[in-house]
PDB file of all heavy atoms in Angstrom:
ATOM      1  N   LEU B  78     125.790 114.090 -40.808  1.00 97.00           N
ATOM      2  CA  LEU B  78     124.600 114.082 -41.598  1.00 97.00           C
ATOM      3  C   LEU B  78     123.466 113.655 -40.682  1.00 97.00           C
ATOM      4  O   LEU B  78     123.416 112.549 -40.176  1.00 97.00           O
ATOM      5  CB  LEU B  78     124.689 113.057 -42.759  1.00 97.00           C
ATOM      6  CG  LEU B  78     125.582 113.411 -43.927  1.00 97.00           C
ATOM      7  CD1 LEU B  78     127.083 113.482 -43.551  1.00 97.00           C
ATOM      8  CD2 LEU B  78     125.364 112.442 -45.062  1.00 97.00           C
ATOM      9  N   GLU B  79     122.575 114.615 -40.363  1.00 94.00           N
ATOM     10  CA  GLU B  79     121.621 114.411 -39.323  1.00 94.00           C
ATOM     11  C   GLU B  79     120.643 113.275 -39.656  1.00 94.00           C
ATOM     12  O   GLU B  79     120.259 112.470 -38.780  1.00 94.00           O
ATOM     13  CB  GLU B  79     120.815 115.694 -39.087  1.00 94.00           C
ATOM     14  CG  GLU B  79     121.668 116.881 -38.594  1.00 94.00           C
ATOM     15  CD  GLU B  79     122.142 116.645 -37.172  1.00 94.00           C
ATOM     16  OE1 GLU B  79     121.634 115.822 -36.461  1.00 94.00           O
ATOM     17  OE2 GLU B  79     123.121 117.342 -36.763  1.00 94.00           O
ATOM     18  N   SER B  80     120.231 113.200 -40.921  1.00 97.00           N
ATOM     19  CA  SER B  80     119.325 112.142 -41.361  1.00 97.00           C
ATOM     20  C   SER B  80     119.676 111.915 -42.827  1.00 97.00           C
ATOM     21  O   SER B  80     119.213 112.612 -43.732  1.00 97.00           O
ATOM     22  CB  SER B  80     117.864 112.588 -41.210  1.00 97.00           C
ATOM     23  OG  SER B  80     116.993 111.614 -41.745  1.00 97.00           O
ATOM     24  N   ALA B  81     120.485 110.898 -43.048  1.00 97.00           N
ATOM     25  CA  ALA B  81     121.102 110.692 -44.372  1.00 97.00           C
ATOM     26  C   ALA B  81     119.980 110.512 -45.482  1.00 97.00           C
ATOM     27  O   ALA B  81     118.988 109.806 -45.221  1.00 97.00           O
ATOM     28  CB  ALA B  81     122.032 109.494 -44.373  1.00 97.00           C
ATOM     29  N   SER B  82     120.241 111.066 -46.608  1.00 97.00           N
ATOM     30  CA  SER B  82     119.344 110.876 -47.749  1.00 97.00           C
ATOM     31  C   SER B  82     120.170 110.427 -48.985  1.00 97.00           C
ATOM     32  O   SER B  82     121.380 110.618 -49.001  1.00 97.00           O
ATOM     33  CB  SER B  82     118.614 112.157 -48.063  1.00 97.00           C
ATOM     34  OG  SER B  82     119.511 113.172 -48.456  1.00 97.00           O
ATOM     35  N   THR B  83     119.505 109.873 -49.940  1.00 97.00           N
ATOM     36  CA  THR B  83     120.220 109.304 -51.110  1.00 97.00           C
ATOM     37  C   THR B  83     120.964 110.409 -51.848  1.00 97.00           C
ATOM     38  O   THR B  83     121.964 110.125 -52.478  1.00 97.00           O
ATOM     39  CB  THR B  83     119.231 108.579 -52.030  1.00 97.00           C
ATOM     40  OG1 THR B  83     118.192 109.440 -52.414  1.00 97.00           O
ATOM     41  CG2 THR B  83     118.683 107.335 -51.398  1.00 97.00           C
ATOM     42  N   ASN B  84     120.469 111.636 -51.842  1.00 97.00           N
ATOM     43  CA  ASN B  84     121.159 112.699 -52.566  1.00 97.00           C
ATOM     44  C   ASN B  84     122.432 113.183 -51.844  1.00 97.00           C
ATOM     45  O   ASN B  84     123.126 114.057 -52.308  1.00 97.00           O
ATOM     46  CB  ASN B  84     120.269 113.889 -52.878  1.00 97.00           C
ATOM     47  CG  ASN B  84     119.720 114.582 -51.649  1.00 97.00           C
ATOM     48  OD1 ASN B  84     120.208 114.382 -50.552  1.00 97.00           O
ATOM     49  ND2 ASN B  84     118.742 115.431 -51.790  1.00 97.00           N
ATOM     50  N   GLN B  85     122.736 112.590 -50.692  1.00 98.00           N
ATOM     51  CA  GLN B  85     123.995 112.838 -50.032  1.00 98.00           C
ATOM     52  C   GLN B  85     125.031 111.755 -50.348  1.00 98.00           C
ATOM     53  O   GLN B  85     126.145 111.808 -49.770  1.00 98.00           O
ATOM     54  CB  GLN B  85     123.731 112.951 -48.515  1.00 98.00           C
ATOM     55  CG  GLN B  85     122.947 114.201 -48.144  1.00 98.00           C
ATOM     56  CD  GLN B  85     122.693 114.320 -46.648  1.00 98.00           C
ATOM     57  OE1 GLN B  85     122.238 113.355 -46.038  1.00 98.00           O
ATOM     58  NE2 GLN B  85     122.980 115.450 -46.129  1.00 98.00           N
ATOM     59  N   THR B  86     124.719 110.860 -51.223  1.00 98.00           N
ATOM     60  CA  THR B  86     125.694 109.934 -51.734  1.00 98.00           C
ATOM     61  C   THR B  86     126.737 110.751 -52.505  1.00 98.00           C
ATOM     62  O   THR B  86     126.406 111.449 -53.483  1.00 98.00           O
ATOM     63  CB  THR B  86     125.066 108.878 -52.634  1.00 98.00           C
ATOM     64  OG1 THR B  86     124.226 108.015 -51.871  1.00 98.00           O
ATOM     65  CG2 THR B  86     126.097 108.077 -53.381  1.00 98.00           C
ATOM     66  N   SER B  87     128.016 110.614 -52.097  1.00 97.00           N
ATOM     67  CA  SER B  87     129.048 111.480 -52.679  1.00 97.00           C
ATOM     68  C   SER B  87     130.402 111.063 -52.114  1.00 97.00           C
ATOM     69  O   SER B  87     130.552 110.285 -51.249  1.00 97.00           O
ATOM     70  CB  SER B  87     128.755 112.929 -52.311  1.00 97.00           C
ATOM     71  OG  SER B  87     129.669 113.812 -52.976  1.00 97.00           O
ATOM     72  N   MET B  88     131.439 111.733 -52.674  1.00 96.00           N
ATOM     73  CA  MET B  88     132.800 111.647 -52.109  1.00 96.00           C
ATOM     74  C   MET B  88     132.929 112.887 -51.201  1.00 96.00           C
ATOM     75  O   MET B  88     132.712 114.036 -51.656  1.00 96.00           O
ATOM     76  CB  MET B  88     133.847 111.716 -53.208  1.00 96.00           C
ATOM     77  CG  MET B  88     135.230 111.925 -52.711  1.00 96.00           C
ATOM     78  SD  MET B  88     135.888 110.515 -51.750  1.00 96.00           S
ATOM     79  CE  MET B  88     136.583 109.521 -53.116  1.00 96.00           C
ATOM     80  N   TYR B  89     133.341 112.651 -49.981  1.00 97.00           N
ATOM     81  CA  TYR B  89     133.520 113.721 -49.019  1.00 97.00           C
ATOM     82  C   TYR B  89     134.997 113.892 -48.715  1.00 97.00           C
ATOM     83  O   TYR B  89     135.686 112.938 -48.381  1.00 97.00           O
ATOM     84  CB  TYR B  89     132.738 113.431 -47.723  1.00 97.00           C
ATOM     85  CG  TYR B  89     131.249 113.574 -47.890  1.00 97.00           C
ATOM     86  CD1 TYR B  89     130.476 112.471 -48.341  1.00 97.00           C
ATOM     87  CD2 TYR B  89     130.620 114.802 -47.682  1.00 97.00           C
ATOM     88  CE1 TYR B  89     129.129 112.562 -48.538  1.00 97.00           C
ATOM     89  CE2 TYR B  89     129.229 114.898 -47.902  1.00 97.00           C
ATOM     90  CZ  TYR B  89     128.545 113.790 -48.331  1.00 97.00           C
ATOM     91  OH  TYR B  89     127.144 113.898 -48.592  1.00 97.00           O
ATOM     92  N   LEU B  90     135.450 115.121 -48.874  1.00 96.00           N
ATOM     93  CA  LEU B  90     136.885 115.441 -48.712  1.00 96.00           C
ATOM     94  C   LEU B  90     137.013 116.445 -47.564  1.00 96.00           C
ATOM     95  O   LEU B  90     136.397 117.524 -47.571  1.00 96.00           O
ATOM     96  CB  LEU B  90     137.456 116.040 -49.969  1.00 96.00           C
ATOM     97  CG  LEU B  90     137.693 115.038 -51.116  1.00 96.00           C
ATOM     98  CD1 LEU B  90     137.891 115.748 -52.402  1.00 96.00           C
ATOM     99  CD2 LEU B  90     138.860 114.118 -50.808  1.00 96.00           C
TER     100      LEU B  90
END
Side-chain angles (χ1 to χ4, degrees):
Chain B
L78 286 67
E79 297 291 342
S80 177
S82 63
T83 54
N84 63 12
Q85 292 179 309
T86 291
S87 185
M88 169 69 88
Y89 289 87
L90 287 164

